[in-house]
Amino acid sequence: MGLDSVEIVLGLEESFGIDLPNEATVSMRTPRHMVEHIIGHVPLERGDGCRFQRSFFRVRRSLRRQLPTLGSAVERDTRLKDIVPKDKAPALWASIRHDVGTPDWPVKIPWPHFFRPGPRTVGELAWYVALYPAGQTSFAAPWTREKIGLQVRRIIYELMGKLDYSLDASLVKDLGVT
């Protein structure tokens, strides 16, 4: 197990208040394996839907209102740098946040820079919004399947800088975990 793997396991144990035995961590080859294992070890309650999907549609609708020349061209893989200049991004985000009227969205977004990860596409921006509600440093119990999945994504993002991927992505091949 490499350093990335150890840090992810420690993040999972700390976030969920559980111990992950070595046998379990070796079998976790995808984020979905992590989520499924954790589901079996924490109190679970029914969720209220997909936070990412709600975030994506709200971001897209507001982008279309803020930048009417885009029309229907805003999709999940639309690159942000193609639709808004980097220097205008913070002001645009403030307008989107105000337009949507959602105070639990983050006040600031870490726009990507040479050495700093950040959302590069509309889909990644929606993931960031779903992962980092304003004023919330982590998700807390009671756990839902969605909150567990979001916390796993958050740990992977903070360690690996990856935002938009399938839960079935290989930790090693697709996400670069060592």
Side-chain angles (χ1 to χ4, degrees), residues 1-14 18-38 41 171-172 177-178:
M1 194 183 303
L3 186 57
D4 295 336
S5 300
V6 171
E7 288 187 68
I8 289 172
V9 168
L10 290 174
L12 294 172
E13 289 178 334
E14 184 178 299
I18 61 174
D19 289 324
L20 295 170
N22 285 342
E23 311 81 58
T25 60
V26 169
S27 68
M28 294 182 200
R29 303 208 185 287
T30 68
R32 184 177 310 283
H33 290 145
M34 293 174 175
V35 170
E36 295 303 324
H37 183 81
I38 293 164
H41 293 86
L171 291 169
V172 174
V177 175
T178 58

Side-chain angles (χ1 to χ4, degrees), residues 52-83:
F52 164 76
Q53 191 172 23
R54 290 190 312 268
S55 297
F56 172 74
F57 287 115
R58 291 169 114 181
V59 166
R60 183 169 73 172
R61 187 175 32 235
S62 186
L63 276 169
R64 287 176 175 163
R65 282 195 290 256
Q66 300 295 320
L67 305 168
T69 57
L70 292 177
S72 62
V74 181
E75 297 299 329
R76 184 176 175 157
D77 60 347
T78 300
R79 294 182 336 173
L80 292 169
K81 71 178 187 176
D82 292 345
I83 60 175

